[in-house]
């Protein structure tokens, strides 16, 4: 069994910052790409940022220059530092990871989601 547990969401004023964390645990053989998605009410889930096992990153255009994704492979953890937050960043943020429990192809795992609300 593999679990992804997120933390760090909450309420913040526009212009503020939050740092999300997502730790993977369980019978993990290897973790491939990790990422963060978000889903606002009435909208489809969208990719926010992703990072490969080697550290290459990509970001949604809407968060470039404001958000930074990073990972600690020793801790099986991925982070999302969110600065200059805007009301339109309000959403449930989900952690995603490609994880192999045995040598071979990885399987997609999701966290339970953490609410981020940007409001004055």
């Amino acid at each position: 069994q593999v679990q992804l547990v997120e933390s760090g969401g909450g309420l913040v004023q526009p212009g503020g910052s939050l740092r999300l964390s997502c730790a993977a645990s369980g019978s993990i053989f290897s973790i491939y790409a990790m990422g963060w998605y978000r889903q606002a009410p009435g909208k489809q889930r969208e990719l926010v940022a992703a990072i490969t096992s080697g550290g290459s990153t990509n970001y949604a255009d809407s968060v470039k220059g404001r958000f930074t994704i990073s990972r600690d492979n020793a801790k099986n953890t991925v982070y999302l530092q969110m600065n200059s937050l805007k009301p339109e960043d309000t959403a449930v943020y989900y952690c995603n990871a490609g994880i192999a429990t045995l040598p071979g192809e990885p399987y997609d795992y999701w966290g339970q989601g953490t609410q981020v609300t940007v409001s004055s």
Side-chain angles (χ1 to χ4, degrees):
Q1 292 285 350
V2 172
Q3 280 190 319
L4 297 180
V5 179
E6 300 138 340
S7 61
L11 173 65
V12 63
Q13 292 187 341
S17 298
L18 282 175
R19 188 192 194 208
L20 305 183
S21 300
C22 172
S25 63
S27 302
I28 296 171
F29 176 78
S30 185
I31 302 179
Y32 293 76
M34 304 182 82
W36 291 93
Y37 288 72
R38 67 186 181 188
Q39 188 166 19
K43 294 188 177 181
Q44 289 189 330
R45 190 174 296 189
E46 63 175 357
L47 174 68
V48 176
I51 184 168
T52 67
S53 58
S56 296
T57 60
N58 69 285
Y59 296 90
D61 287 343
S62 59
V63 307
K64 282 180 181 177
R66 301 188 297 121
F67 292 10
T68 302
I69 190 170
S70 61
R71 64 190 284 172
D72 184 333
N73 291 331
K75 296 181 178 180
N76 292 338
T77 299
V78 63
Y79 306 95
L80 186 68
Q81 178 66 44
M82 304 185 293
N83 299 328
S84 302
L85 282 160
K86 304 176 181 180
E88 50 263 44
D89 295 318
T90 296
V92 178
Y93 283 70
Y94 296 91
C95 174
N96 170 266
I99 298 174
T101 56
L102 294 170
E105 291 297 315
Y107 180 80
D108 243 8
Y109 289 88
W110 292 88
Q112 80 282 1
T114 185
Q115 177 71 46
V116 172
T117 302
V118 185
S119 175
S120 55

